[in-house]
Amino acid sequence: TEQEKEFTRWCVENDIHRFYTWTRWKQIRKQVLKMDHSECQRCREHHKYTPATTVHHVNYVKKHPDMALDIWYEWHGIQKRNLVSLCHDCHEAVHNYRKPKSQQKPLTEKDGTDPPRPENRDFWQSGGDRWEASTISRKVAREEKIKK
């Protein structure tokens, strides 16, 4: 929904950890793991069974917050997976975590534009989680005070 996308954009700007602890994300994550029979899809391509421990965003949350809860996406008319079950080692490999720092590419690219702040500052609730305008307002006020 639009409110879920708004909340995800807020998390990207302010506190990405809130996204990963959000009940809605946990529901989608569980759905993806179930869909993949809790098997690492990358290992499976190599005819190897490894339990999946992570759900990877093909389109990174920080770069594509509006797609963060989408299991599938369309690219040039082809439907592709956006959320994929991976084991710990494959997830590290996909993100190049094991390369020396000098060879690592950034996990996301910053294009210089930040997503807009949520316009709907009313009480927002989904899946048992609460996101209150007062929390956002205090954080924004604090950031503006620091800038001055």
Side-chain angles (χ1 to χ4, degrees), residues 47-107:
H47 308 289
K48 180 177 147 189
Y49 170 77
T50 310
T53 55
T54 305
V55 172
H56 172 68
H57 286 89
V58 174
N59 294 288
Y60 299 141
V61 175
K62 289 182 179 181
K63 190 170 181 181
H64 303 280
D66 289 353
M67 298 174 70
L69 299 174
D70 297 340
I71 297 172
W72 300 92
Y73 72 101
E74 193 170 311
W75 185 76
H76 294 278
I78 300 167
Q79 195 170 17
K80 295 183 167 241
R81 289 284 296 275
N82 183 45
L83 299 175
V84 183
S85 301
L86 296 177
C87 66
H88 176 76
D89 290 344
C90 286
H91 193 238
E92 284 195 346
V94 166
H95 282 289
N96 296 316
Y97 288 151
R98 293 187 179 178
K99 282 187 176 180
K101 291 276 186 199
S102 61
Q103 293 179 6
Q104 282 186 6
K105 293 181 183 176
L107 297 182

Side-chain angles (χ1 to χ4, degrees), residues 115-134:
R117 291 203 181 275
E119 292 175 19
N120 177 6
R121 297 199 177 225
D122 297 330
F123 176 80
W124 185 85
Q125 186 172 357
S126 175
D129 287 300
R130 291 181 176 207
W131 179 45
E132 296 187 53
S134 59

